[in-house]
Structure formats: structure tokens, C-alpha cells
Amino acid sequence: MNKDIFRTTIAIIGAGFSGTLVAAHLLKNATFPIEIKIIERKSVMGKGVAYGTKYESHLLNVPAGKMSAFPDDPEHFLRWIKTRPDLAEIVKPDTFVPRKIYGEYIQTVLKEAEATSQYGRLERIKNEAIAIQADRDRVIVCLSTGEKFPAHKIVLALGNFPPSDPPIADRSFYTSLRYISYPWSPHALTDIEPNDAVLLIGSGLTMLDLAVALTEQGHQGEIHVVSRHGLLPHPHKFTKPYPAFLSSETAPKTIRSLFRVVRREVKNAIAQGDDWRAVLDSLRPITQQLWQQLPLDEQRRFLRHVRIYWEVHRHRVSPGVAEKVATMLNSGQMRVHAGRIQAYEEDADGVNVAIRKRQTTDTEVVRVGRVINCTGTECDYRKFQHPLIQNLRSQGLIRSDALAIGLDVAPNGALLDVDGVVSQNLYTLGPPRQGRLWETTAVPEIRVQAATLAKELMQTLSFHSSFLHN
Ligand SMILES: Cc1cc2nc3c(=O)[nH]c(=O)nc-3n(C[C@H](O)[C@H](O)[C@H](O)COP(=O)(O)OP(=O)(O)OC[C@H]3O[C@@H](n4cnc5c(N)ncnc54)[C@H](O)[C@@H]3O)c2cc1C
């Protein structure tokens, strides 16, 4: 008899922060023999898109004191920092640490959980999962190299997908070597001459990443930035905590009224010497609840009218990065255009990009050597060409949420199939839960999801395990 059927196996697809943390919790808390297979298509495990950067200037946008991987051990990251002679003296709880250091921390978290696990066994598989087949009470994971293996549960920790190309009538420029569609590629900034002008599409955190990385490599040329509103993320500022002024019971259920209340509170706060940031931060513990109790039409209204303002106020940038960007703006090296790209016209030496200015019929043409798409991660799962997503979609095993900003999930993270039936063996966490939770992409939210999901998996598998091992 195949001895595989006696093992309890959990497959985790994706070894960014989300997948790695689920694996670490399973290893730490397993109370029966369990095999965890973590599959990552990139050569580096445990870092994912955010923490796999090579640039020193890419800083966390949350201070070190709030970046523990474990919700019930808030000092964990700071204690790890103390073990590093190169960091121990310089990093304080309010320091914004380089993201690549945080990647090393996550890798250590996994290694330690693996080394001390009583019942868990971890297998790291460097491969791409391209399909999942249902097989009675188990599922089969199929890899790009042709291997397959069965698992009792699968966690899709697929994370951040590349941005979509901005819509435009003539898309031919998107095949040009001057166009970089994937801003997090390690090669996005190679072969740029120091004096070349560059156009960054999008003005959010990804754009700031690219701008400071250009500075790090000594770039002198102009940096043009274009986005519909031309708004940049605000910088962090240390503020004293602001008392809760809303609860899920008292909060209005329409976007207009909700933001009227928030604006009024901000006004009051500023009048008494507080900062608007503190007011917004006081909403964080209930943001998911506020989101969930909005009717679908109101959620749509938020995405259409408020999202952009929410993003630049809520997803703030470290003071160090903000300072660098201010220097670029003040010197004229960086120019921000509010508008939409109308056309690209490429010749042998560069590309002319026509930008229709916001709320006008005026067009400005900028000439650059490279164009980089920094519009942020695409989250409409109906569009993805990703082989695994196509496979799951074609079998009806997943569906987009009603807003098409993630996947439809049950409260425990189990995926809903095309008919809305809750899966017994497919789960997700992190960015794909955006439609359900809205606030789900940063470490403080994902670390809670990882701990809870691991517990849920252990509980649902414990029956299976006792059946096999008793
Ligand atoms: C640039 C950036 C900076 C950020 N900075 C911060 C910050 O400072 N503080 C904060 O709190 N949050 C930050 N975030 C948000 C948050 O921490 C990340 O979104 C989070 O790390 C998400 O982790 P993840 O594992 O879900 O996704 P990802 O990091 O995207 O990892 C998913 C992994 O899955 C792999 N994968 C996908 N499909 C397959 C497949 N079929 N087979 C095998 N492998 C696959 C990918 O290669 C990838 O490594 C940042 C996000 C980004 C994008």
C-alpha cells in the first residue's frame, strides 16, 4: 500500500511573508506528525516581493517596533535585531529598517521553527505550482516540471501580482525594451544611463521605491511621474495615540456619512493640537469591521471616489524616503504630472509620451529613455494569465469577490468555488482576501491571519490524524 496516504500533508504555494508565516506556525504548533511542503517559484524562499529587494534604500513603511511576525509576541523582531551586531546599536523601535533585513528575519523565523518543531517536517520545493487536481479527500498539486504530490490541505499564498499595463488605444509600446511592466524585477533599473530621463507610471509606494532606488544607483536624469490625481503618499510622523471615536455600532453605513464623521474628527483633532495621522490610525483596529458592514454599493463608491485619498493618507512612507523624494522634487529632478497617458511614440533614441493633463484638454509630451509601470499590484483574478489561477478558474474552484479585488473567501480563509460552496481543502490569506477585509495587505494584518489559519488547519486535520495514527 502507498505509505503516502498515512501522512498528513499541507502544501503551501508561495513562500513570501504569508506562506512562510503559515509554515512557521504549523511547525511550532503541530501536535501530531505533519508534513509541510512549501513551494516557491523564485530561487529565494521567505522574502516574497516586498522583502526580496536588493536595495538598501527600500525601507519598511512600518517602524521596527510594530513589525514582529507574531501578534502575541510584539517584541520578537526587536529581539532578533539585538542578535545582529551590525544592527543592535542603531535600530530602535521607531527605526524604519531596510526591507531586505526584514526578509532575513522572516527566513530566520522559518529556520528556527523548523529546527525546534516536535512533529512538523518541512520540505522546501523550488518550483512553480501550475495546477491542482481534486482526488477524494485529498488534492494533487502539479508542478511545472511534471511532478505531482497529494496534500490534504492547500494554502494559496500567491500574494502580489504584477500590475496591468495602463489602458491605451495602441498597445504596441508595451512590447518595447524601453518598457518595464514588472517594477519589482531585479532588472527594472539595469542599463539606464545616469542622465536618461525616466517615466514612472503611478505615484504610490511602488513609484517611491523606484525613485529612491534610482537615486541609490546615482541617477542624475529627470524622473517624470504620472498618475491620474498626481497625489503622493504622505510621510509618517510620530504621534500620540488618539482615542477611539467610532465603533462598528456607531459608524455610519454610507461612505459619505462615514467620511463626514472622520473629517469632522480630524478637524477637531487638529484644533486641539493632534495630528490627522493619529485619527486615521485609531480606525485601524476596526477598519475590517467598518468595511464589512458597508453595503456592496457603498464599497464600490469607496473604491471609485475615496480609495485614492485613503491610500495616500493610510499607506504612508518612512520619513527618510519622504525626505529623499522632497529633495528630488525641490531640485526639479522629479516632476509629477496629474493626467493620463494618451500615446507613446518610440524612435531609435527614446520615446515621446503624450500625457493628457487632468481635467483639461491640454497635452504635454515628455521624452524619456525608459517607462516603468508602477501602478501597483493587479488584483482582478478574472484577468490573470498565471497558469495556476487559470487552472483553478477553469475548474470553477475559485471565483473573484463581488468587487473583483481579490478572491471570494469564507471567514476562515477557505476559498469559495464558482457556485459559492466553501472548499474543504483550499485556503488563502493576505492580499487575495482584500474584497472581504479591505485591510489585509500589511504585516500587522497578515501575521494574525497566518496564526489563525495555521490553527484552523491543525484543528481540521487532527481528526484525520488521530484516525490514521491510533
Ligand atoms: C513593494 C512592497 C513593499 C511593502 N512594504 C511593506 C512594509 O514596509 N510593511 C508592511 O507591513 N507591509 C508591506 N508590504 C505589504 C506586505 O507585507 C506584503 O504584501 C506581504 O509581504 C505579502 O506577502 P505574500 O506572501 O502574501 O505575497 P508575496 O510577497 O507576493 O509572495 C508570494 C510568493 O508566492 C510565489 N508564487 C506565486 N505563485 C506561485 C506558484 N504558482 N508557485 C510557486 N510560487 C508562487 C511568488 O513567487 C512570491 O514569492 C509591502 C508590499 C510590497 C509589494
Side-chain angles (χ1 to χ4, degrees):
M1 194 185 289
N2 181 355
K3 73 179 181 16
D4 252 4
I5 63 167
F6 291 113
R7 289 206 205 122
T8 303
T9 303
I10 298 178
I12 300 172
I13 304 176
F17 180 80
S18 302
T20 306
L21 258 288
V22 175
H25 281 284
L26 289 169
L27 288 164
K28 278 160 85 85
N29 300 314
T31 49
F32 53 85
I34 191 166
E35 178 155 39
I36 301 146
K37 292 179 189 265
I38 188 161
I39 305 136
E40 172 56 56
R41 62 183 172 193
K42 290 194 199 130
S43 51
V44 179
M45 293 250 172
K47 294 190 167 182
V49 172
Y51 311 113
T53 175
K54 60 181 179 180
Y55 293 102
E56 202 67 42
S57 55
H58 285 171
L59 303 181
L60 291 175
N61 49 32
V62 177
K66 294 186 180 167
M67 283 296 281
S68 167
F70 300 104
D72 56 357
D73 184 2
E75 303 283 305
H76 191 268
F77 181 46
L78 292 174
R79 284 204 305 280
W80 178 81
I81 292 272
K82 294 281 170 238
T83 66
R84 291 270 307 244
D86 54 333
L87 302 170
E89 293 306 314
I90 47 175
V91 175
K92 309 280 175 260
D94 59 359
T95 307
F96 293 86
V97 171
R99 294 208 303 266
K100 64 182 192 175
I101 293 194
Y102 195 72
E104 292 168 30
Y105 164 64
I106 298 306
Q107 288 181 321
T108 314
V109 163
L110 186 61
K111 271 192 205 133
E112 281 179 8
E114 186 182 12
T116 54
S117 183
Q118 202 179 348
Y119 290 107
R121 199 178 82 186
L122 179 70
E123 185 185 349
R124 294 173 172 79
I125 300 172
K126 189 202 151 326
N127 212 318
E128 176 166 6
I130 54 162
I132 287 171
Q133 297 165 354
D135 172 37
R136 291 195 298 275
D137 66 329
R138 294 182 304 171
V139 266
I140 310 287
V141 180
C142 308
L143 303 177
S144 63
T145 41
E147 292 107 303
K148 296 178 178 187
F149 64 85
H152 296 93
K153 303 276 180 188
I154 297 184
V155 177
L156 299 179
L158 311 177
N160 298 290
F161 284 84
S164 288
D165 296 329
I168 197 157
D170 177 1
R171 299 173 61 86
S172 55
F173 176 67
Y174 292 143
T175 57
S176 164
L177 290 176
R178 294 191 185 279
Y179 176 67
I180 303 290
S181 60
Y182 186 57
W184 302 301
S185 156
H187 310 297
L189 300 182
T190 48
D191 301 331
I192 296 186
E193 293 299 323
N195 291 315
D196 271 358
V198 175
L199 173 67
L200 305 178
I201 310 173
S203 61
L205 292 173
T206 308
M207 179 284 285
L208 297 183
D209 257 10
L210 272 287
V212 294
L214 278 166
T215 313
E216 187 176 325
Q217 68 180 41
H219 193 75
Q220 302 290 320
E222 280 188 324
I223 300 174
H224 292 275
V225 173
V226 62
S227 71
R228 269 181 297 159
H229 292 78
L231 297 174
L232 270 57
H234 284 273
H236 275 293
K237 190 170 156 188
F238 286 98
T239 55
K240 63 177 189 324
Y242 195 79
F245 63 96
L246 267 185
S247 69
S248 49
E249 289 79 33
T250 59
K253 311 290 183 285
T254 66
I255 280 299
R256 188 186 285 267
S257 315
L258 190 55
F259 278 85
R260 194 176 299 134
V261 175
V262 175
R263 270 199 301 266
R264 200 173 50 215
E265 196 65 31
V266 165
K267 236 175 162 180
N268 292 342
I270 292 173
Q272 63 192 36
D274 285 310
D275 193 275
W276 59 264
R277 294 166 183 81
V279 179
L280 280 198
D281 292 350
S282 77
L283 290 176
R284 183 121 183 220
I286 57 162
T287 306
Q288 292 181 348
Q289 282 163 283
L290 297 182
W291 176 253
Q292 284 176 341
Q293 62 190 26
L294 286 175
L296 193 59
D297 275 350
E298 291 298 319
Q299 293 179 338
R300 283 206 181 96
R301 203 158 280 139
F302 171 87
L303 294 179
R304 232 181 0 254
H305 302 297
V306 185
R307 178 185 199 157
I308 174 67
Y309 302 102
W310 174 263
E311 302 278 359
V312 296
H313 288 89
R314 161 68 191 87
H315 296 288
R316 299 190 290 271
V317 64
S318 69
V321 169
E323 233 167 77
K324 284 186 186 154
V325 173
T327 307
M328 284 185 242
L329 286 166
N330 293 338
S331 69
Q333 186 190 14
M334 179 184 277
R335 279 187 56 204
V336 179
H337 309 264
R340 278 175 193 269
I341 294 177
Q342 291 291 103
Y344 302 95
E345 214 180 275
E346 187 178 5
D347 54 46
D349 305 317
V351 53
N352 291 331
V353 186
I355 298 169
R356 164 81 61 85
K357 292 187 187 170
R358 183 173 165 76
Q359 291 173 343
T360 72
T361 50
D362 302 349
T363 301
E364 181 176 4
V365 176
V366 295
R367 182 157 180 86
V368 295
R370 184 161 302 183
V371 176
I372 305 175
N373 184 356
C374 307
T375 53
T377 173
E378 174 60 72
C379 35
D380 185 347
Y381 278 72
R382 298 168 306 181
K383 291 185 184 167
F384 292 148
Q385 301 303 311
H386 188 290
L388 179 59
I389 298 300
Q390 279 185 328
N391 170 269
L392 293 168
R393 244 183 359 222
S394 68
Q395 297 184 75
L397 292 174
I398 55 168
R399 69 178 190 188
S400 282
D401 59 64
L403 298 161
I405 55 172
L407 288 173
D408 215 351
V409 285
N412 66 354
L415 286 156
L416 268 57
D417 75 6
V418 72
D419 298 318
V421 177
V422 178
S423 173
Q424 297 305 307
N425 38 35
L426 294 180
Y427 299 79
T428 193
L429 76 162
R433 291 197 198 177
Q434 190 170 224
R436 183 176 183 87
L437 301 172
W438 180 244
E439 191 78 84
T440 181
T441 54
V443 163
E445 279 74 31
I446 300 177
R447 64 186 171 198
V448 176
Q449 292 176 23
T452 320
L453 180 55
K455 207 166 166 189
E456 162 95 16
L457 295 172
M458 298 298 297
Q459 271 165 4
T460 51
L461 284 168
S462 61
F463 168 76
H464 169 262
S465 167
S466 55
F467 174 73
L468 291 178
H469 298 287
N470 288 335

